[in-house]
Amino acid sequence: MSDQDIAQNLKSIQQKIEKAATDAGRDPKEITLVAVSKTKPNEDILEAVTAGHLQFGENRMKELEDKMAEIELPDVVWHFIGNIQTNKIKYIADRVNWIHSVEKAKYLKEIEKRAGKANRVVNALIQVNISGEKQKGGCEPEDLAKILESAQNYDHVIVRGLMGMATFVDDPEDVRSEFKLLKELFDSHQKYNEGSVNLEHLSMGMTNDMEVAIQEGATMVRIGSAIFGERNYD
């Protein structure tokens, strides 16, 4: 995709975010756009950086590891949003800024260990399964409290909020209840804010349901195809 297309797509998405937030009585500045660059070449990411965008998401650990090594720009913020493999956390812990997809306490323990060795702090989000689809990943809502309690005494990982992936549907209104569930869990678990748990972010909403997610409280939206075009397949 050309640099002009990427820049224009980013502008268009930001305008949609601003409108959705304003319509919901929210400040658009509360919402971070994570540009999901999975399967896309480094050139596309650099074009987005040139257009002023600095937040990028990847869903494969090896691809993220490679891109972080190849794109050495200090202001770029890297988000990992895919399925975690415990034995590969060590390869990204030295540079990744956010990990959205923590669904088990053992992953937090490993992130703490690896980030500690790199002498840095990683932001984490607990992924909750809000769709009921096993393939989407995430902890069950009733297990969230236990995971948060396990995370309160870390030095190198901070739990900053929750992440959810809604069912893919044609009409975003059909998944409003799933976003509402995540927001309700976010609100009801504020009592676990202690030490290294500080719930302030909700990562939910993608290209097809972003506006509804923002209406329901999203502070991070994960947008790929609307910025970079359809994904490239291996």
Side-chain angles (χ1 to χ4, degrees):
M1 182 172 287
S2 76
D3 55 345
Q4 189 172 9
D5 288 340
I6 290 172
Q8 184 56 48
N9 290 345
L10 281 165
K11 184 177 179 180
S12 175
I13 291 295
Q14 287 288 6
Q15 288 172 341
K16 288 180 180 179
I17 289 172
E18 289 175 13
K19 184 178 187 308
T22 302
D23 289 350
R26 298 182 60 198
D27 182 351
K29 293 178 182 176
E30 295 175 354
I31 299 156
T32 298
L33 169 59
V34 179
V36 180
S37 44
K38 61 185 179 184
T39 77
K40 296 300 177 179
N42 292 346
E43 291 76 14
D44 284 5
I45 296 174
L46 293 173
E47 294 297 354
V49 171
T50 300
H53 195 76
L54 297 171
Q55 309 266 351
F56 297 94
E58 294 287 334
N59 76 335
R60 295 178 182 172
M61 285 190 160
K62 182 65 169 70
E63 187 173 357
L64 175 60
E65 179 192 355
D66 291 345
K67 285 179 175 175
M68 289 192 300
E70 293 159 5
I71 301 175
E72 298 190 82
L73 297 173
D75 292 333
V76 169
V77 178
W78 295 102
H79 300 249
F80 181 69
I81 61 176
N83 293 331
I84 292 178
Q85 294 173 273
T86 310
N87 62 338
K88 294 187 177 178
I89 290 173
K90 61 187 175 186
Y91 297 118
I92 67 170
D94 61 334
R95 288 209 50 198
V96 70
N97 304 98
W98 291 82
I99 298 179
H100 289 227
S101 45
V102 176
E103 60 179 9
K104 295 179 181 178
K106 70 174 185 178
Y107 296 152
L108 289 169
K109 187 175 181 180
E110 183 68 13
I111 295 167
E112 167 72 10
K113 173 183 172 183
R114 298 300 177 177
K117 287 189 174 182
N119 194 28
R120 58 193 305 272
V121 176
V122 174
N123 299 299
L125 302 176
I126 307 302
Q127 182 177 356
V128 182
N129 189 326
I130 56 174
S131 71
E133 300 170 285
K134 280 189 166 54
Q135 70 271 24
K136 287 278 170 58
C139 71
E140 295 303 316
E142 58 268 25
D143 295 332
L144 178 58
K146 188 175 180 180
I147 294 172
L148 293 176
E149 285 179 338
S150 79
Q152 291 172 339
N153 297 306
Y154 286 134
D155 296 315
H156 298 280
V157 58
I158 300 175
V159 176
R160 299 281 301 277
L162 308 180
M163 185 269 253
M165 297 180 66
T167 308
F168 188 82
V169 292
D170 292 329
D171 184 355
E173 285 296 331
D174 292 342
V175 293
R176 185 180 291 277
S177 62
E178 296 176 14
F179 294 138
K180 280 184 180 293
L181 170 61
L182 196 64
K183 179 62 162 65
E184 288 166 2
L185 290 168
F186 175 84
D187 290 341
S188 65
H189 286 73
Q190 291 295 318
K191 60 189 175 185
Y192 294 98
N193 285 342
E194 182 179 321
S196 44
V197 175
N198 181 20
L199 301 180
E200 56 184 342
H201 285 288
L202 274 175
S203 171
M204 60 186 193
M206 296 163 55
T207 297
N208 63 312
D209 53 22
M210 174 185 72
E211 288 90 348
V212 172
I214 290 171
Q215 290 164 13
E216 296 302 331
T219 65
M220 292 181 172
V221 292
R222 310 179 303 271
I223 309 297
S225 59
I227 297 171
F228 298 110
E230 293 303 315
R231 76 175 67 175
N232 301 328
Y233 290 92
D234 298 337

